[in-house]
Coordinates of all heavy atoms in Angstrom, one line a residue:
A1 N 14.4 -16.4 15.5 CA 13.5 -17.0 16.4 C 13.4 -16.3 17.7 O 12.3 -16.2 18.2 CB 14.1 -18.5 16.7
L2 N 14.4 -15.7 18.1 CA 14.4 -14.9 19.4 C 13.4 -13.7 19.1 O 12.6 -13.4 19.9 CB 15.7 -14.4 19.8 CG 16.7 -15.5 20.5 CD1 18.0 -14.8 20.7 CD2 16.0 -15.8 21.8
H3 N 13.7 -13.1 18.0 CA 12.9 -11.9 17.7 C 11.4 -12.2 17.5 O 10.5 -11.5 18.0 CB 13.4 -11.2 16.4 CG 12.7 -9.9 16.1 ND1 11.6 -9.8 15.3 CD2 13.0 -8.7 16.5 CE1 11.2 -8.6 15.2 NE2 12.0 -7.8 16.0
K4 N 11.1 -13.3 16.9 CA 9.7 -13.8 16.7 C 9.0 -14.1 18.0 O 7.9 -13.8 18.2 CB 9.7 -14.9 15.7 CG 8.3 -15.5 15.4 CD 8.4 -16.6 14.5 CE 6.9 -17.2 14.3 NZ 7.0 -18.5 13.6
N5 N 9.7 -14.8 18.8 CA 9.1 -15.4 20.0 C 9.2 -14.6 21.4 O 8.5 -14.9 22.3 CB 9.6 -16.8 20.3 CG 9.2 -17.7 19.1 OD1 8.1 -17.8 18.8 ND2 10.3 -18.4 18.6
F6 N 10.2 -13.6 21.3 CA 10.4 -12.9 22.6 C 10.4 -11.4 22.5 O 11.2 -10.7 23.1 CB 11.7 -13.4 23.2 CG 11.8 -14.8 23.6 CD1 12.4 -15.8 22.8 CD2 11.2 -15.3 24.8 CE1 12.4 -17.1 23.1 CE2 11.2 -16.6 25.1 CZ 11.8 -17.5 24.3
T7 N 9.6 -10.9 21.7 CA 9.4 -9.5 21.6 C 8.0 -9.0 21.9 O 7.1 -9.9 22.0 CB 9.8 -8.9 20.1 OG1 8.9 -9.6 19.2 CG2 11.2 -9.1 19.8
E8 N 7.9 -7.8 22.2 CA 6.6 -7.1 22.5 C 5.8 -7.9 23.6 O 6.2 -7.8 24.7 CB 5.8 -7.0 21.2 CG 6.5 -6.0 20.2 CD 5.7 -5.6 19.1 OE1 4.4 -5.6 19.2 OE2 6.2 -5.3 18.0
A9 N 4.7 -8.5 23.3 CA 3.9 -9.1 24.3 C 4.5 -10.2 25.1 O 4.4 -10.4 26.3 CB 2.6 -9.7 23.7
E10 N 5.5 -10.9 24.4 CA 6.2 -12.0 25.1 C 7.6 -11.6 25.5 O 8.5 -12.4 25.6 CB 6.3 -13.2 24.1 CG 4.9 -13.7 23.8 CD 4.2 -14.4 25.0 OE1 4.8 -15.0 25.8 OE2 3.0 -14.2 25.0
F11 N 7.9 -10.3 25.6 CA 9.2 -9.8 25.9 C 9.7 -10.5 27.2 O 9.0 -10.5 28.3 CB 9.2 -8.3 26.1 CG 10.5 -7.7 26.3 CD1 11.4 -7.5 25.2 CD2 11.1 -7.5 27.6 CE1 12.7 -7.0 25.4 CE2 12.3 -6.9 27.8 CZ 13.2 -6.7 26.7
D12 N 10.9 -11.0 27.1 CA 11.5 -11.7 28.3 C 12.8 -11.1 28.5 O 13.8 -11.3 27.7 CB 11.6 -13.2 27.9 CG 12.1 -14.0 29.2 OD1 12.7 -13.4 30.1 OD2 11.9 -15.2 29.2
F13 N 13.0 -10.2 29.5 CA 14.2 -9.5 29.8 C 15.4 -10.5 30.0 O 16.5 -10.2 29.4 CB 14.0 -8.7 31.1 CG 15.3 -8.0 31.5 CD1 15.7 -6.8 30.8 CD2 16.1 -8.5 32.4 CE1 16.8 -6.1 31.1 CE2 17.3 -7.8 32.7 CZ 17.7 -6.7 32.2
K14 N 15.2 -11.6 30.6 CA 16.3 -12.5 30.8 C 16.9 -13.1 29.5 O 18.1 -13.2 29.4 CB 15.8 -13.7 31.7 CG 17.0 -14.5 32.3 CD 16.5 -15.5 33.4 CE 17.6 -16.3 33.9 NZ 17.2 -17.3 34.8
V15 N 16.0 -13.4 28.6 CA 16.5 -13.9 27.3 C 17.3 -12.9 26.6 O 18.4 -13.1 26.1 CB 15.3 -14.4 26.5 CG1 15.7 -14.7 25.1 CG2 14.6 -15.6 27.1
W16 N 16.7 -11.7 26.5 CA 17.5 -10.6 25.8 C 18.7 -10.2 26.5 O 19.7 -9.8 25.8 CB 16.5 -9.4 25.5 CG 15.5 -9.8 24.5 CD1 14.2 -10.1 24.6 CD2 15.8 -9.9 23.1 NE1 13.6 -10.4 23.4 CE2 14.6 -10.3 22.4 CE3 16.9 -9.8 22.3 CZ2 14.5 -10.5 21.1 CZ3 16.8 -10.0 20.9 CH2 15.7 -10.4 20.3
N17 N 18.7 -10.2 27.8 CA 19.9 -9.8 28.6 C 21.0 -10.8 28.2 O 22.2 -10.5 28.0 CB 19.6 -9.9 30.0 CG 20.8 -9.3 30.9 OD1 21.4 -8.2 30.5 ND2 21.1 -10.0 31.9
S18 N 20.7 -12.1 28.2 CA 21.6 -13.2 27.8 C 22.1 -13.0 26.5 O 23.3 -13.2 26.2 CB 21.0 -14.6 28.0 OG 20.7 -14.8 29.4
Y19 N 21.2 -12.7 25.5 CA 21.6 -12.6 24.1 C 22.6 -11.4 23.9 O 23.6 -11.5 23.3 CB 20.3 -12.2 23.3 CG 20.6 -12.1 21.8 CD1 20.9 -13.2 21.0 CD2 20.6 -10.8 21.2 CE1 21.0 -13.0 19.6 CE2 20.8 -10.7 19.9 CZ 21.0 -11.7 19.1 OH 21.2 -11.6 17.7
F20 N 22.4 -10.3 24.6 CA 23.3 -9.1 24.5 C 24.5 -9.4 25.3 O 25.6 -8.8 24.8 CB 22.6 -7.8 24.8 CG 21.6 -7.4 23.8 CD1 20.2 -7.4 24.0 CD2 22.0 -7.0 22.5 CE1 19.3 -7.0 23.0 CE2 21.1 -6.6 21.5 CZ 19.8 -6.6 21.7
S21 N 24.5 -10.1 26.3 CA 25.7 -10.4 27.1 C 26.6 -11.3 26.2 O 27.8 -11.1 26.1 CB 25.4 -11.1 28.3 OG 24.8 -10.3 29.2
L22 N 26.0 -12.2 25.4 CA 26.7 -13.0 24.4 C 27.4 -12.2 23.4 O 28.5 -12.4 23.0 CB 25.8 -14.1 23.8 CG 26.4 -14.9 22.7 CD1 27.5 -15.9 23.3 CD2 25.3 -15.8 22.1
A23 N 26.6 -11.2 22.9 CA 27.1 -10.3 21.9 C 28.3 -9.5 22.4 O 29.4 -9.4 21.7 CB 26.1 -9.3 21.4
V24 N 28.3 -9.1 23.6 CA 29.4 -8.3 24.1 C 30.6 -9.3 24.4 O 31.8 -8.9 24.0 CB 29.1 -7.6 25.5 CG1 30.3 -7.1 26.2 CG2 28.1 -6.5 25.2
L25 N 30.4 -10.5 24.8 CA 31.5 -11.4 24.9 C 32.2 -11.7 23.6 O 33.3 -11.8 23.4 CB 31.0 -12.7 25.6 CG 30.8 -12.7 27.1 CD1 30.1 -14.0 27.5 CD2 32.1 -12.6 27.8
Y26 N 31.3 -11.9 22.6 CA 31.8 -12.2 21.2 C 32.7 -11.1 20.7 O 33.7 -11.3 20.2 CB 30.6 -12.4 20.3 CG 31.0 -12.7 18.9 CD1 31.4 -14.1 18.6 CD2 31.1 -11.7 17.9 CE1 31.8 -14.3 17.3 CE2 31.5 -12.1 16.6 CZ 31.9 -13.3 16.4 OH 32.3 -13.7 15.1
I27 N 32.2 -9.8 20.8 CA 32.9 -8.6 20.3 C 34.3 -8.5 21.0 O 35.3 -8.1 20.4 CB 32.1 -7.4 20.4 CG1 30.9 -7.5 19.4 CG2 32.9 -6.1 20.1 CD1 29.9 -6.4 19.6
N28 N 34.3 -8.7 22.3 CA 35.5 -8.5 23.1 C 36.5 -9.7 23.2 O 37.4 -9.6 23.9 CB 35.1 -8.1 24.5 CG 34.5 -6.7 24.5 OD1 35.0 -5.8 23.8 ND2 33.4 -6.5 25.3
Q29 N 36.2 -10.7 22.4 CA 37.1 -11.9 22.6 C 38.5 -11.6 21.9 O 38.6 -10.9 20.9 CB 36.5 -13.2 22.0 CG 36.2 -13.1 20.5 CD 35.6 -14.4 20.0 OE1 36.0 -15.5 20.4 NE2 34.6 -14.3 19.2
P30 N 39.5 -12.0 22.6 CA 40.9 -11.7 22.1 C 41.2 -12.1 20.6 O 42.0 -11.4 20.0 CB 41.8 -12.5 23.1 CG 41.0 -12.6 24.3 CD 39.6 -12.8 23.8
S31 N 40.6 -13.2 20.2 CA 41.0 -13.5 18.8 C 40.5 -12.6 17.7 O 40.9 -12.6 16.6 CB 40.4 -15.0 18.6 OG 39.0 -15.0 18.7
L32 N 39.5 -11.7 18.1 CA 39.0 -10.8 17.2 C 39.7 -9.4 17.3 O 39.3 -8.5 16.5 CB 37.5 -10.6 17.3 CG 36.7 -11.9 17.0 CD1 35.1 -11.5 17.2 CD2 36.9 -12.3 15.6
Q33 N 40.5 -9.2 18.2 CA 41.2 -8.0 18.4 C 42.5 -7.9 17.6 O 43.6 -8.2 18.0 CB 41.6 -7.9 19.9 CG 40.4 -8.2 20.8 CD 40.0 -7.1 21.6 OE1 40.7 -6.2 22.0 NE2 38.7 -7.1 22.0
L34 N 42.3 -7.5 16.3 CA 43.3 -7.5 15.3 C 44.5 -6.6 15.7 O 45.7 -6.8 15.2 CB 42.8 -7.2 13.9 CG 41.8 -8.2 13.4 CD1 41.3 -7.7 12.0 CD2 42.3 -9.6 13.4
E35 N 44.3 -5.6 16.5 CA 45.3 -4.6 16.7 C 46.4 -5.3 17.6 O 47.5 -4.8 17.8 CB 44.8 -3.4 17.5 CG 44.0 -3.6 18.8 CD 42.5 -3.9 18.7 OE1 42.1 -4.1 17.5 OE2 41.9 -4.0 19.7
N36 N 46.1 -6.4 18.3 CA 47.0 -7.2 19.1 C 47.9 -8.2 18.3 O 48.8 -8.8 18.9 CB 46.3 -7.8 20.2 CG 45.6 -6.9 21.2 OD1 46.1 -5.8 21.3 ND2 44.6 -7.3 21.8
L37 N 47.6 -8.3 17.1 CA 48.4 -9.2 16.2 C 49.5 -8.5 15.5 O 49.6 -7.3 15.4 CB 47.5 -9.8 15.2 CG 46.3 -10.7 15.6 CD1 45.5 -11.1 14.4 CD2 46.7 -11.8 16.5
S38 N 50.5 -9.3 15.1 CA 51.6 -8.8 14.3 C 51.0 -8.2 13.0 O 50.0 -8.7 12.5 CB 52.6 -9.8 14.0 OG 52.1 -10.8 13.1

């Protein structure tokens, strides 16, 4: 839905900035950092 509604002519920097910020937060969350587990 983001891709369909917010690309090219309707590109919204704020929407995509939020989306990629969410992706970075997701990737960096401690529960996904397996190297820190036993």
Side-chain angles (χ1 to χ4, degrees):
L2 283 174
H3 187 266
K4 179 181 175 186
N5 296 310
F6 296 102
T7 55
E8 300 192 21
E10 298 294 322
F11 185 83
D12 186 342
F13 177 80
K14 190 173 182 181
V15 169
W16 286 106
N17 189 46
S18 296
Y19 181 77
F20 287 112
S21 293
L22 175 67
V24 170
L25 283 173
Y26 181 83
I27 291 169
N28 289 318
Q29 64 182 316
S31 62
L32 295 179
Q33 313 243 332
L34 298 181
E35 63 272 7
N36 295 332
L37 299 177
S38 69

